[in-house]
Amino acid sequence: MTQVVKTAADMKTRAFGLVPPAMIVAVIVFWICAPASWVDNPLTTTAVSVASLAFVQALELVNERHAGWRMYRLEFLTDLFYAVLYYAVISGVEDALAEAPLANAKNALGITTEWALHSPFIVQVALVIFVVEFGQYWMHRLMHNSWVWWTHAPHHHITQLNAAKGLVGNPLELFLVSLSVIAVFDLRKDATFCAFNILGIVSTFAHANVRCNTPRWYAYIFTTIEAHSLHHSVPYNDTRCNYANSLILIDRVLGTFREGEATVVGQDDRRRLSIPEQFIFPLRPLIALVKMKVAGFGAKSLG
Ligand SMILES: [Zn+2]
Ligand SMILES: [Zn+2]
C-alpha cells in the first residue's frame, strides 16, 4: 500500500515537472500566432508575465514543495508590492535610462544586425535568451564577489521561496540585474517578447514552492528550484554557485554549477527583512561608518 502511495506521489511530481516546459511551448505558440495588434501593444507581454506568475502561484496551493515556504498574508502582500514595483516602475526606469539610450546610440552610430532580424523566429528567441542571461550571469556573479553584494543581499535575506520571489529585492539591484545589451540587436518584437516571457516563466519556477520534478533535459539547460534553492543557502559562501537566473547551462559551462537542493534559505540569523529594511540595506556600511565616527567623536569629547 505504501509503495502504491509513493508511486502515485512520484507520478504527480513528474506530471507537475512537465508544466514548465509545457508553458514554454505554450508561450512560443502564443507569440507565433499573436496578431500584429497584440505584438504592437506593450501591455501584451506584461499580461502574459502576470498570467504566468498567477498560474504558478495557484500551483503552489495545489502541490507545495515545503510546508515551511507556505504563503501567508505578509509574504503575499510583500510579493505583490514588488511585482507592482517591478512592472509599473522598474521596467519603465530601465527602459528610459538604459534600453532607450542604448538604442539611440546604436542608431546614431549606424550599427545594424540585419542577420539577426532575418534569422528564424526561434533563433531570435534563443539569441535574446542567451544575450540577456549571459549579462545577468556576470552581473549576478559580480554581486556575490564584490561590494555590489550590498544591493543584492536583501534578495538573499528572504526566508522562503515563492513564485514571485525573483522580483523581491532592493530596487537598485532589480535595476542592475535588468540591464542588458539586447537593444544593440535588430530583432522582431514578438521574438523579443517571447524570450522575455520564457525567461520569466523559468525564473518564476526557479523560485516557486511547487513540488515538481522537471525532465533531465530541462534541468540541464534551465534553472530549476533545486539549483536556485541551493543558491539561496544560508552560509554566504554556499551562495557562490548557480548564478544564472534562467539559463543554468551557463553555470555548467563556466564551472560555477553545483548539484543539490536547499530547504532552509536566508542569510545570517535568517531574520526576515521588512520592505523599508530591504530599501535601505545598501546604506548599511555607510550607516555603520557614521555610527563609528560619532562614537569615536563622543569618546574623544569625554576624554
Ligand atoms: Zn544571488
Ligand atoms: Zn533568487
Side-chain angles (χ1 to χ4, degrees), residues 141 143-146 149 156 230-243 256 258 266-268:
R141 192 166 164 175
M143 285 172 166
H144 279 261
N145 293 278
S146 72
W149 166 252
H156 278 269
L230 201 62
H231 177 76
H232 276 270
S233 297
V234 180
Y236 171 65
N237 281 334
D238 289 357
T239 66
R240 287 168 159 172
C241 65
N242 302 350
Y243 295 114
T256 46
R258 264 186 59 210
Q267 279 294 287
D268 303 335

Side-chain angles (χ1 to χ4, degrees), residues 43-197:
L43 291 179
T44 306
T45 182
T46 305
V48 173
S49 298
V50 172
S52 305
L53 176 60
F55 180 69
V56 182
Q57 282 177 321
L59 293 183
E60 290 188 324
L61 301 174
V62 179
N63 194 26
E64 75 178 6
R65 190 171 195 89
H66 301 299
W69 295 357
R70 192 171 297 163
M71 186 65 86
Y72 61 97
R73 197 179 144 86
L74 183 61
E75 283 293 333
F76 176 75
L77 292 175
T78 304
D79 291 3
L80 185 64
F81 169 81
Y82 278 102
V84 172
L85 178 75
Y86 181 79
Y87 289 113
V89 182
I90 295 194
S91 58
V93 170
E94 199 268 339
D95 193 39
L97 296 185
E99 294 279 322
L102 192 57
N104 291 340
K106 168 193 180 301
N107 292 334
L109 294 169
I111 300 168
T112 56
T113 58
E114 289 291 315
W115 58 269
L117 188 60
H118 295 117
S119 303
F121 175 85
I122 207 71
V123 172
Q124 294 190 41
V125 172
L127 177 71
V128 176
I129 288 176
F130 176 74
V131 170
V132 170
E133 275 298 288
F134 194 67
Q136 282 199 352
Y137 170 89
W138 284 107
M139 178 62 80
H140 192 185
R141 192 166 164 175
L142 177 75
M143 285 172 166
H144 279 261
N145 293 278
S146 72
W147 59 269
V148 196
W149 166 252
W150 289 99
T151 69
H152 182 50
H155 178 65
H156 278 269
H157 276 266
I158 55 176
T159 52
Q160 63 181 81
L161 296 181
N162 299 109
K165 288 290 191 288
L167 303 173
V168 175
N170 181 270
L172 185 57
E173 179 238 357
L174 299 175
F175 172 79
L176 290 174
V177 292
S178 299
L179 294 174
S180 84
V181 295
I182 205 64
V184 166
F185 294 88
D186 297 295
L187 294 157
R188 285 169 57 164
K189 264 200 269 185
D190 51 1
T192 307
F193 292 151
C194 180
F196 277 101
N197 282 151

Side-chain angles (χ1 to χ4, degrees), residues 286-302:
L286 189 65
I287 293 168
L289 189 70
V290 170
K291 276 184 180 170
M292 213 169 69
K293 294 269 183 204
V294 169
F297 181 74
K300 263 188 195 166
S301 303
L302 284 172

